[in-house]
Amino acid sequence: MKAEIKPRINQTGRNRLETVIPLSTPFVLFVDPSSACNFKCRFCPTGERQLIQDTGRWQGNMNFDLFRKIIDDLAGFDRPIKVLRLYKEGEPFLNPCFADMVRYAKQSGCVEAVDTTTNGSLLTPERVGPALEAGLDRINISVDGLSDAQFLEFARVKVDFRGFVNNIRQLFEMKGDCEICIKTAGDFLSEADKEMFYRTFGDYADRIFIENVAPCWPEFDVQDRLGISIAKGIYDQPVENIKTCPYIFYSLTVNSDGTVSLCFLDWARKLMVGDVRQQSLKDIWNGNALHLHRREHLRGNRGNQPVCHACGQLSHGAADNIDPYAAQLLTRLEKQRP
């Protein structure tokens, strides 16, 4: 097997957030090319069409002019961001301008790296080739089944598994400097399935890993919907009681319609902190709405916010814990405000 068995999220060599907060420039910018998806996965809110319709969430592709405005806004920060993450809720490759987005971001000088996460169903050479040529640095592929039948059960769509694998094989052959990371959820896999996963995809990835399902979506009970009990973190780590969300201190999230959410898990649009159609990214990053959320988290009041209270990402998947430094970070944060 060519791939290294390693999680897609780097667990080592990370910046010590307590030494750099507050940041003048975010490390990570999430931009959602499409809030729509061609899958209907049982473990994802986007897959529940009626649920999304009931929230009133806009579904569709981001306009390229809006994307260009977002990237141009990055010039207002004092340094380039580390990662532009072209993904949030939908399938990025549904946006016909995806490769143009990668190209514009890479040529801007305001972004060090561009990555995306995809369900892998649209990775034909014709569609993914232009994105690779544009300079895409990394593709995270979620494998939601190991047969036609499993895809139908978990993603609730028909997928030709043999064609799916062949597309990923061709992607790996043409990837150039782009890193390919492949993962699947092991909660429903037999030991034979797990061996098949590594055997099938191990030569077509740089990193490969079997994760656990995590109850990361606020107000979306994945344990109840899947009929499982989740006792460990995404990477088999112990479940933690983290009080302060680290993500809101180093990342910013733009939805496909230009609204800005507090974090990348705000699937129901209940945690809005701005709108890039009316504000600059820098003004939102330094704005009062985001500041108030950060302050309340550092004060230990995350549980008072209904959506944040129900977030399982911190307990099951957070790579950083700034709780021990909350008091000193709160002092720094308050000194930063005029």
Side-chain angles (χ1 to χ4, degrees):
M1 184 171 71
K2 297 177 182 178
E4 182 179 9
I5 299 178
K6 186 177 182 181
R8 57 196 165 97
I9 303 298
N10 293 322
Q11 302 291 298
T12 59
R14 299 176 64 86
N15 287 277
R16 300 281 304 185
L17 292 179
E18 70 272 12
T19 67
V20 295
I21 293 173
L23 290 167
S24 59
T25 302
F27 285 159
V28 180
L29 175 65
F30 288 84
V31 176
D32 202 9
S34 180
S35 55
C37 189
N38 57 332
F39 277 18
K40 296 181 286 187
C41 297
R42 294 164 52 198
F43 48 81
C44 174
T46 301
E48 300 291 345
R49 301 293 194 257
Q50 187 60 52
L51 179 66
I52 296 301
Q53 185 175 334
D54 291 344
T55 68
R57 187 180 99 183
W58 183 79
Q59 294 285 91
N61 294 331
M62 176 175 283
N63 178 278
F64 186 70
D65 288 338
L66 174 59
F67 178 81
R68 187 161 44 206
K69 191 267 182 186
I70 293 167
I71 298 303
D72 291 348
D73 275 1
L74 291 176
F77 291 107
D78 57 7
R79 65 191 61 163
I81 62 169
K82 293 181 179 296
V83 181
L84 171 64
R85 193 142 285 155
L86 290 178
Y87 167 74
K88 182 176 182 270
E89 293 154 346
E91 169 50 48
F93 284 93
L94 284 176
N95 193 316
C97 296
F98 183 81
D100 296 325
M101 291 176 168
V102 175
R103 182 175 297 104
Y104 193 80
K106 293 287 288 188
Q107 293 177 350
S108 70
C110 298
V111 174
E112 293 182 8
V114 180
D115 71 21
T116 193
T117 296
T118 171
N119 61 36
S121 65
L122 302 177
L123 297 181
T124 62
E126 295 77 19
R127 194 175 302 226
V128 75
L132 295 173
E133 293 174 4
L136 186 61
D137 293 286
R138 185 176 180 184
I139 302 177
N140 300 305
I141 303 171
S142 298
V143 176
D144 297 315
L146 294 175
S147 66
D148 294 17
Q150 284 189 4
F151 266 102
L152 189 59
E153 180 180 0
F154 297 111
R156 295 186 288 193
V157 294
K158 291 184 177 181
V159 171
D160 174 11
F161 183 65
R162 181 176 296 180
F164 179 90
V165 175
N166 188 53
N167 281 340
I168 293 178
R169 177 189 62 79
Q170 293 181 85
L171 165 63
F172 192 75
E173 291 174 351
M174 62 191 292
K175 75 183 186 72
D177 294 329
C178 183
E179 183 181 28
I180 307 300
C181 304
I182 300 179
K183 62 92 172 176
T184 193
D187 303 70
F188 309 98
L189 301 181
S190 66
E191 290 305 313
D193 283 338
K194 293 177 182 179
E195 291 178 8
M196 176 186 172
F197 170 71
Y198 285 125
R199 187 172 62 251
T200 302
F201 296 102
D203 285 338
Y204 308 143
D206 298 293
R207 296 191 194 191
I208 193 168
F209 204 79
I210 297 176
E211 301 179 356
N212 298 320
V213 172
C216 56
W217 303 107
E219 301 183 330
F220 184 86
D221 193 340
V222 69
Q223 296 185 83
D224 180 65
R225 289 172 182 272
L226 296 179
I228 61 174
S229 177
I230 302 174
K232 294 183 179 180
I234 295 176
Y235 306 125
D236 274 340
Q237 76 273 30
V239 174
E240 295 185 86
N241 180 26
I242 294 179
K243 296 179 180 179
T244 310
C245 176
Y247 300 105
I248 63 177
F249 292 90
Y250 71 82
S251 66
L252 198 59
T253 301
V254 184
N255 300 309
S256 58
D257 62 354
T259 55
V260 179
S261 289
L262 178 65
C263 81
F264 59 96
L265 295 168
D266 180 30
W267 64 271
R269 307 290 192 272
K270 292 186 176 182
L271 296 170
M272 310 309 294
V273 295
D275 191 326
V276 294
R277 294 169 296 187
Q278 303 169 15
Q279 302 163 274
S280 71
L281 281 176
K282 185 174 182 179
D283 285 345
I284 296 170
W285 179 249
N286 295 319
N288 196 52
L290 199 43
H291 170 75
L292 292 177
H293 281 288
R294 291 168 177 153
R295 186 182 67 185
E296 288 305 295
H297 277 238
L298 291 173
R299 287 177 173 174
N301 295 330
R302 176 173 70 87
N304 295 339
Q305 213 299 331
V307 178
C308 292
H309 171 75
C311 177
Q313 178 69 20
L314 300 187
S315 56
H316 290 71
D320 307 285
N321 185 355
I322 57 176
D323 283 355
Y325 313 98
Q328 68 187 66
L329 292 176
L330 179 60
T331 299
R332 278 193 226 158
L333 191 73
E334 298 290 16
K335 285 183 178 180
Q336 184 194 48
R337 305 301 291 180

